[in-house]
Amino acid sequence: MNIRELDYQECMAFLSKTRMGRLSCVFEGRPYTVPISFIIEDDWFYSFSLEGKKISWMRENNSVCILADEISSPQQWRTVIANGQFKEFDQTAEWAKYARAWSLLQSSNATYWLPGGLKTAAAGVQNKPVYYGIRIESVSGREAYLPTETGRVSGMHPH
């Protein structure tokens, strides 16, 4: 098995094809990691959430990290970590960013949030989505692959 560092372009290409990852945030020294769905455009992750712990914590400490990966086997994987700053898009004050986030996410058919949204609605809680972005400040990535006579083993998506 070989392991190599991915360059900036490879990391961004991988992230632009990926729709799910794990978001990590920290509040009062306590880490919190949750799965999220996102779309990348330029140097921004766009996503949305219902009100809850992750939104509260990111409002208090806007430094966050997103991990996205693809694992074909223990010997074949790719992982990218992006560090950035959380920015909530206000529907009134930042209409352009809010509308762009909404448009991109609608086009991706992101439905992972429906069970939580339905549970909230069933409980009678009025909870509108919070659209937000994470401005990418840095990315790093690695991949592991099995060498062959012609290069890497197939199975991993090309970057």
Side-chain angles (χ1 to χ4, degrees), residues 1-15 17-18 67-81 139-148 150-159:
M1 175 176 75
N2 291 340
I3 296 177
R4 74 176 191 90
E5 299 287 327
L6 301 176
D7 66 25
Y8 176 82
Q9 303 295 20
E10 291 170 316
C11 288
M12 293 305 290
F14 177 72
L15 290 172
K17 293 185 294 187
T18 305
L67 171 113
D69 55 18
E70 175 183 58
I71 302 170
S72 297
S73 76
Q75 295 81 29
Q76 290 181 255
W77 50 263
R78 182 174 297 133
T79 185
V80 172
I81 296 173
V139 293
S140 62
R142 295 178 129 197
E143 78 173 352
Y145 60 93
L146 297 171
T148 66
T150 59
R152 286 186 279 226
V153 167
S154 63
M156 295 295 293
H157 297 295
H159 33 73

Side-chain angles (χ1 to χ4, degrees), residues 92-114:
T92 307
E94 296 165 312
W95 173 249
K97 282 284 192 191
Y98 183 94
R100 187 64 185 149
W102 182 88
S103 173
L104 288 168
L105 292 161
Q106 291 299 313
S107 70
S108 74
N109 295 316
T111 58
Y112 76 94
W113 62 275
L114 285 175

Side-chain angles (χ1 to χ4, degrees), residues 17-144:
K17 293 185 294 187
T18 305
R19 295 290 175 259
M20 295 288 295
R22 291 174 238 14
L23 173 104
S24 294
C25 53
V26 175
F27 180 65
E28 295 180 351
R30 296 189 56 103
Y32 184 60
T33 302
V34 293
I36 64 165
S37 179
F38 59 80
I39 297 284
I40 293 260
E41 185 176 75
D42 300 323
D43 289 332
W44 285 90
F45 285 95
Y46 289 96
S47 192
F48 70 99
S49 176
L50 298 177
E51 292 279 348
K53 185 185 283 190
K54 123 176 117 247
I55 295 298
S56 299
W57 285 25
M58 289 190 300
R59 285 174 177 154
E60 291 294 322
N61 178 356
N62 68 347
S63 293
V64 299
C65 169
I66 292 180
L67 171 113
D69 55 18
E70 175 183 58
I71 302 170
S72 297
S73 76
Q75 295 81 29
Q76 290 181 255
W77 50 263
R78 182 174 297 133
T79 185
V80 172
I81 296 173
N83 292 294
Q85 299 292 313
F86 163 80
K87 173 72 173 146
E88 184 173 347
F89 301 133
D90 180 86
Q91 191 172 0
T92 307
E94 296 165 312
W95 173 249
K97 282 284 192 191
Y98 183 94
R100 187 64 185 149
W102 182 88
S103 173
L104 288 168
L105 292 161
Q106 291 299 313
S107 70
S108 74
N109 295 316
T111 58
Y112 76 94
W113 62 275
L114 285 175
L118 293 173
K119 182 179 174 185
T120 302
V125 176
Q126 295 295 324
N127 202 350
K128 63 182 184 174
V130 175
Y131 288 89
Y132 65 92
I134 295 171
R135 178 95 167 129
I136 299 171
E137 295 177 330
S138 66
V139 293
S140 62
R142 295 178 129 197
E143 78 173 352

